[in-house]
Amino acid sequence: MTGQQPQEPYNQTNRNPQSNRPRSIPYGQAPQAHIPTQGSQYLPNQPYKPQPQPQPQPGQPTQPSQLDNQAYLGSNNPQQPRPAVPGQAPFAPQQPYVQRPNPYSQPAAPAQAKPYASPGAGQQIPYYSMPPKTKKRGLSGGGVAAIVIAVILVPILLFAAIMAGFAAMANKAVNDAMQQAQNEVETPEKDESQSQTQSQPEIEYITMKDRPSYKGTYDYVNGKYEQYSQEALADTQGFMDKYRIPVTDDGNKYVTDFIAVLGKYATDLKKMGDTVGVNASEMDDVIASYRTNTDTVEGHFLKGEPLDVQVTLQGSNGETYTVDGQNSVDLKPLWADLEPKVAAASNDMGSNYAESAQKIVELAGLQINWNLESAYQYCTKSAENSPDMKTLNDNETFGFYCPVTPNVIYANQQVNGWDSIYAPSAGIRHEIAHHAIHMYCGTIQPPVVIQNGVNRFEGVTNSYAVKYLGADANLLSQSAQQAAANNHRQYLMDDFTDKAAEAIHRGECEAIQ
């Protein structure tokens, strides 16, 4: 409720007591014509003609006006009928003067009031035909007090005004008292409405990138994308070998699909950072789902399983790439599973030693290339500053391993050894050991092979071939001694190289303390 005037019941109108109510006149004067308020829908429309009043005879008391004080006393005197049809004068004929009792004394039971006549068709209802109804309201303590004051104050002011003949002052007093009471009634409701408005919580808008988990999740998802994409671009063959993906068209598409999905996740999560909402819990769930989905698709990739994700990416040139998530690949065996097979392989698997050596390479999941010079387009020989650890010449090189092409062993048939037992039992297993160290440590020269600043990776490779790949220790030792005699001491084995090989096999590639 607002501070408006109380509304009238249906078919009633607000009445200004100062404009529509009959006014008291000085005693002995003829009443003035009552002019209806213009625009009121309850007053007759035809012009009002006042009835002449008889002049008092000499010696006869002047009759009081029928309207004198009647509107304020609320009399139901049946001798004073009310007009029921519009057009009749609102003033009844004068009656002989009768002394009236004090209106505030205990009156006798009045005669039963006659019901008002119902208006006929096209007639307007006189303004006094239906008393206004007041809506029932719940009152506060202040409202009840105001009503009590108004009830006590109104009769007193009316009595004083009537006795003095100041009806206008009484009307104003009544209006002021009732308005004060109404204000007291409506104030608690207004205060309650304001309290309800103030008690309603303000809506707090949340930006997704401001959530505590957003940055960490985005860094995680984007980090996975950058890890795999950069690794594949830097060394595609090494990437395929590391994750045992077959180097086929299906294998290439499988890798491309995986990296595309990771890029899609990272891009979408970055775009969603500016999303605005009101439910923090829902936002946190969405953020967490990106980490979960990234872990899930990575798990499928590492097992060669279908990625089970359907996405479409569009390039800057408008071309699209679709991932259906249904492709799978047969992963190459783990190197840990291949080593025992190589170690147990016989040295006479082929018709000659060279062919037996080639079969051992194939058993390791690798292939042999008999053109040594073709390796140099990918790798160069390691150079040492130490004068007694010189790099081998080509006519001294039995085989060569290039980390850029990790699935290939390059062989030099121009040197001695391929037609002897040395080839399958020692020389080729040394080259396969380079591949094993590469698989465990990501490089053929991990920190663990450094001894007092000297790179011992060739000696460590010999020790690894003996310990884990079935190489003949005596043949490798004899070959290392012959090389050392020609200033190639890097192939010698000792306790340090053995311990470094053991650490690598455990996956410990850092320097030994």
Side-chain angles (χ1 to χ4, degrees):
M1 293 290 293
T2 59
Q4 298 176 351
Q5 296 294 336
Q7 297 181 358
E8 297 291 345
Y10 182 76
N11 255 351
Q12 299 298 311
T13 183
N14 293 332
R15 296 185 296 273
N16 188 336
Q18 295 183 2
S19 61
N20 293 340
R21 183 174 294 173
R23 299 172 56 188
S24 296
I25 59 176
Y27 185 80
Q29 294 183 7
Q32 300 295 323
H34 178 69
I35 300 175
T37 303
Q38 185 174 357
S40 173
Q41 61 177 333
Y42 296 109
L43 294 180
N45 294 328
Q46 54 268 43
Y48 175 73
K49 298 180 180 180
Q51 298 294 329
Q53 298 295 329
Q55 297 297 324
Q57 300 297 324
Q60 180 181 357
T62 302
Q63 295 181 0
S65 172
Q66 189 69 18
L67 297 177
D68 189 17
N69 303 327
Q70 188 65 26
Y72 304 101
L73 298 178
S75 173
N76 292 324
N77 190 345
Q79 297 180 0
Q80 302 173 2
R82 305 171 187 259
V85 180
Q88 293 182 356
F91 302 101
Q94 291 186 351
Q95 300 296 330
Y97 178 78
V98 179
Q99 183 66 36
R100 299 185 184 185
N102 188 335
Y104 293 98
S105 64
Q106 184 67 28
Q112 182 67 30
K114 294 181 180 180
Y116 299 142
S118 300
Q123 295 178 346
Q124 291 183 323
I125 302 173
Y127 75 94
Y128 52 77
S129 63
M130 294 180 64
K133 297 179 181 180
T134 304
K135 294 183 179 180
K136 295 182 179 180
R137 308 177 186 272
L139 302 180
S140 64
V144 172
I147 293 297
V148 171
I149 293 173
V151 170
I152 296 174
L153 181 60
V154 169
I156 296 175
L157 293 176
L158 284 176
F159 179 77
I162 292 170
M163 292 297 98
F166 298 106
M169 183 178 68
N171 291 337
K172 185 177 186 305
V174 171
N175 288 337
D176 292 344
M178 295 306 295
Q179 184 63 48
Q180 179 182 0
Q182 182 64 30
N183 291 341
E184 291 293 334
V185 171
E186 293 178 350
T187 298
E189 296 182 3
K190 183 176 180 181
D191 293 344
E192 181 180 356
S193 175
Q194 292 177 351
S195 176
Q196 291 178 354
T197 301
Q198 293 175 356
S199 63
Q200 293 179 354
E202 295 183 358
I203 298 177
E204 181 181 358
Y205 293 97
I206 306 168
T207 303
M208 181 175 287
K209 63 184 177 183
D210 293 334
R211 298 302 302 157
S213 60
Y214 176 80
K215 185 178 185 305
T217 302
Y218 173 74
D219 290 343
Y220 178 82
V221 175
N222 190 61
K224 288 289 185 180
Y225 166 68
E226 291 184 349
Q227 170 194 338
Y228 284 104
S229 61
Q230 292 176 5
E231 189 175 354
L233 291 173
D235 183 3
T236 303
Q237 184 62 55
F239 181 90
M240 304 291 277
D241 291 335
K242 178 179 180 179
Y243 297 104
R244 304 179 292 132
I245 306 297
V247 185
T248 62
D249 291 342
D250 289 342
N252 293 337
K253 186 177 188 311
Y254 187 74
V255 171
T256 303
D257 287 355
F258 171 63
I259 296 176
V261 170
L262 293 182
K264 177 69 171 173
Y265 286 164
T267 301
D268 287 352
L269 185 55
K270 183 177 182 179
K271 290 180 179 178
M272 293 183 68
D274 293 327
T275 301
V276 177
V278 296
N279 193 319
S281 178
E282 289 183 358
M283 278 193 175
D284 292 342
D285 290 343
V286 171
I287 294 170
S289 69
Y290 276 85
R291 179 186 286 265
T292 300
N293 292 340
T294 298
D295 291 341
T296 300
V297 75
E298 182 185 32
H300 290 323
F301 172 76
L302 295 177
K303 296 177 182 178
E305 300 172 344
L307 302 178
D308 197 24
V309 178
Q310 294 80 38
V311 298
T312 298
L313 296 88
Q314 183 173 1
S316 58
N317 57 358
E319 295 183 357
T320 60
Y321 182 83
T322 300
V323 178
D324 58 21
Q326 303 303 313
N327 296 337
S328 62
V329 294
D330 294 328
L331 299 181
K332 295 188 295 184
L334 292 171
W335 179 251
D337 296 331
L338 294 175
E339 275 189 347
K341 296 179 180 180
V342 174
S346 172
N347 293 323
D348 56 0
M349 296 176 62
S351 57
N352 54 54
Y353 293 124
E355 185 177 338
S356 295
Q358 181 173 345
K359 289 186 176 296
I360 294 174
V361 170
E362 293 172 354
L363 191 61
L366 308 176
Q367 60 184 356
I368 195 167
N369 186 333
W370 297 98
N371 183 5
L372 178 64
E373 292 183 357
S374 63
Y376 298 152
Q377 61 182 318
Y378 304 108
C379 299
T380 57
K381 295 179 179 180
S382 298
E384 298 292 341
N385 295 326
S386 176
D388 56 354
M389 298 181 68
K390 294 180 180 180
T391 302
L392 294 175
N393 296 322
D394 286 351
N395 58 2
E396 299 174 310
T397 301
F398 177 84
F400 187 77
Y401 177 82
C402 175
V404 177
T405 56
N407 292 325
V408 180
I409 301 295
Y410 297 93
N412 184 10
Q413 287 184 306
Q414 305 301 320
V415 299
N416 296 329
W418 285 103
D419 57 351
S420 68
I421 191 63
Y422 175 83
S425 64
I428 203 64
R429 294 177 193 259
H430 170 90
E431 302 303 331
I432 293 175
H434 279 305
H435 176 79
I437 294 172
H438 186 197
M439 293 298 99
Y440 281 119
C441 298
T443 176
I444 62 175
Q445 301 181 45
V448 70
V449 303
I450 305 299
Q451 181 185 26
N452 299 325
V454 178
N455 190 340
R456 303 286 309 277
F457 81 99
E458 290 289 6
V460 172
T461 301
N462 270 341
S463 291
Y464 194 97
V466 171
K467 283 181 171 292
Y468 302 109
L469 295 177
D472 188 313
N474 290 329
L475 290 178
L476 282 180
S477 180
Q478 292 175 7
S479 175
Q481 293 293 336
Q482 293 175 3
N486 294 311
N487 299 320
H488 306 301
R489 296 181 58 83
Q490 61 266 36
Y491 292 94
L492 295 175
M493 296 179 287
D494 54 25
D495 185 60
F496 173 83
T497 60
D498 289 344
K499 288 182 179 180
E502 293 170 358
I504 291 172
H505 192 259
R506 294 192 303 267
E508 300 171 3
C509 302
E510 298 302 319
I512 298 176
Q513 301 297 331

